[in-house]
Amino acid sequence: MVQPTPEPRRETEEAGLAAGVLILAGTPIGDTRYVSQALGDALINADIIAAEDTRKFADLCRRAELKVTARVISFFEGNEASRSGDLVEQMVAGARVVLVTDAGMPSVSDPGFRLVSQCIDAGVRVSVVPGPSAVLAALAVSGLSTDRFCFEGFLPRKSSARRTRLTRLRTEERTLIFFEAPHRLHDFLVDAAEVFGEDRSAAICRELTKTHEEVIRGPVSELVAWAEGEVRGEITIVVSGASPSAPEIGVLVEVVVDLIASGEKRSAAVGQVASMHHVDRRVLYDAVLAARRSSN
């Protein structure tokens, strides 16, 4: 059972973090007619705009008829590491920084992940321009790896079925993204802590792009404690992927047993887990049989 732990970091307008803010601004992947009012407002009200390609950004502003007065600096893969520290210092001092890439969402296969991570460490609020999906917005502000991810949507409402789905994902190395109803958030996190482990990093993204936007980051065990109270709003949960190191055979046996319990045939479950972790199928099969005999 998960024990109560100190409350994790809550990131809101009123959370008392550094005065500045980093805004991840998704830009149109094509026609500039899709520049939203929110994107235009973010650019017009910025103090600093960090652009992956300043010439392309200037062209976007020209075609969208946006009059931007902020200082525009280049911010691309080659200089992200060297420029992030200075930008964080300016945000701590109160600057409003908007990050834009050539097309799409910053930090998702684009520059920005290092900057987001440093902002989180420094207590700088990270926000995102409203877009068509909470999936990329949550991933971008989570501070977790954005290189590879998978979207799982809503899991089953019943704990037993939910745990079965989570068990199938226990060894998934990609960052995981879920939707959940606020009144089921605590139960979801309890199951996630027991299946993934209490130390697995995660982020709860609540009311993204709305007035009461809030991001809570920390180990799953801390998020369980936080979610014991009343939670409202639209919830997106981002969970870090499993460690790439190969688990011990005993852990793989547990995964196989859970799959069998969920209705999978033994041979199919063994084959699936053995293939996923590049272990000898016969060795794993024998270990499953031995575990079954010892439990009888």
Side-chain angles (χ1 to χ4, degrees):
M1 180 172 178
V2 179
Q3 298 298 318
T5 55
E7 183 173 325
R9 176 183 294 174
R10 299 176 63 173
E11 185 173 288
T12 68
E13 289 279 7
E14 299 82 18
L17 301 177
V21 61
L22 171 66
I23 300 175
L24 305 175
T27 56
I29 59 175
D31 199 320
T32 53
R33 289 179 299 174
Y34 298 116
V35 170
S36 67
Q37 181 68 47
L39 174 57
D41 289 345
L43 296 174
I44 290 171
N45 294 317
D47 296 313
I48 303 171
I49 295 173
E52 183 178 12
D53 188 313
T54 56
R55 290 173 298 181
K56 290 183 178 179
F57 173 70
D59 186 56
L60 172 68
C61 292
R62 178 185 60 77
R63 290 183 286 123
E65 299 181 349
L66 292 173
K67 296 182 179 180
V68 174
T69 59
R71 180 164 65 94
V72 179
I73 65 171
S74 66
F75 187 88
F76 56 96
E77 185 177 358
N79 69 7
E80 179 176 2
S82 60
R83 292 208 161 169
S84 291
D86 180 61
L87 285 173
V88 170
E89 287 181 4
Q90 294 187 67
M91 283 182 275
V92 169
R96 187 179 186 88
V97 176
V98 176
L99 174 61
V100 295
T101 48
D102 291 349
M105 179 61 69
S107 88
V108 181
S109 295
D110 274 336
F113 177 71
R114 293 187 186 88
L115 181 57
V116 169
S117 297
Q118 290 187 34
C119 282
I120 293 170
D121 291 341
V124 173
R125 190 169 69 91
V126 181
S127 189
V128 63
V129 168
S133 172
V135 175
L136 289 185
L139 178 65
V141 303
S142 69
L144 301 176
S145 175
T146 60
D147 293 342
R148 299 170 64 244
F149 64 93
C150 57
F151 173 58
E152 291 292 322
F154 287 95
L155 296 193
R157 297 184 179 187
K158 292 185 177 180
S159 180
S160 58
R162 183 168 57 239
R163 285 174 58 84
T164 296
R165 285 280 298 278
L166 290 171
T167 297
R168 292 175 181 269
L169 296 168
R170 179 160 55 185
T171 56
E172 172 60 64
E173 295 179 10
R174 294 174 293 179
T175 301
L176 301 162
I177 305 173
F178 304 91
F179 287 158
E180 189 53 276
H183 63 279
R184 290 195 298 269
L185 176 61
H186 181 262
D187 292 341
F188 173 97
L189 292 170
V190 168
D191 288 341
E194 293 185 4
V195 174
F196 292 153
E198 297 183 5
D199 294 331
R200 184 80 71 94
S201 297
I204 298 172
C205 304
R206 191 182 74 83
E207 294 290 86
L208 283 174
T209 78
K210 300 179 183 179
T211 302
H212 301 292
E213 174 183 306
E214 185 175 29
V215 181
I216 306 96
R217 306 180 182 89
V220 177
S221 59
E222 293 184 8
L223 301 185
V224 169
W226 175 84
E228 286 181 343
E230 183 181 13
V231 180
R232 297 181 179 180
E234 300 291 332
I235 303 292
T236 304
I237 307 162
V238 186
V239 181
S240 63
S243 171
S245 58
E248 296 180 357
I249 196 69
V251 174
L252 298 183
V253 168
E254 291 180 9
V255 176
V256 172
V257 170
D258 285 338
L259 291 176
I260 294 172
S262 68
E264 196 80 68
K265 291 185 177 180
R266 182 192 301 160
S267 60
V270 170
Q272 177 182 330
V273 175
S275 176
M276 182 181 299
H277 296 282
H278 308 289
V279 300
D280 186 279
R281 185 180 183 281
R282 172 51 60 182
V283 171
L284 180 57
Y285 193 90
D286 289 344
V288 171
L289 291 179
R292 182 186 179 189
R293 287 192 297 268
S294 64
S295 63
N296 291 335

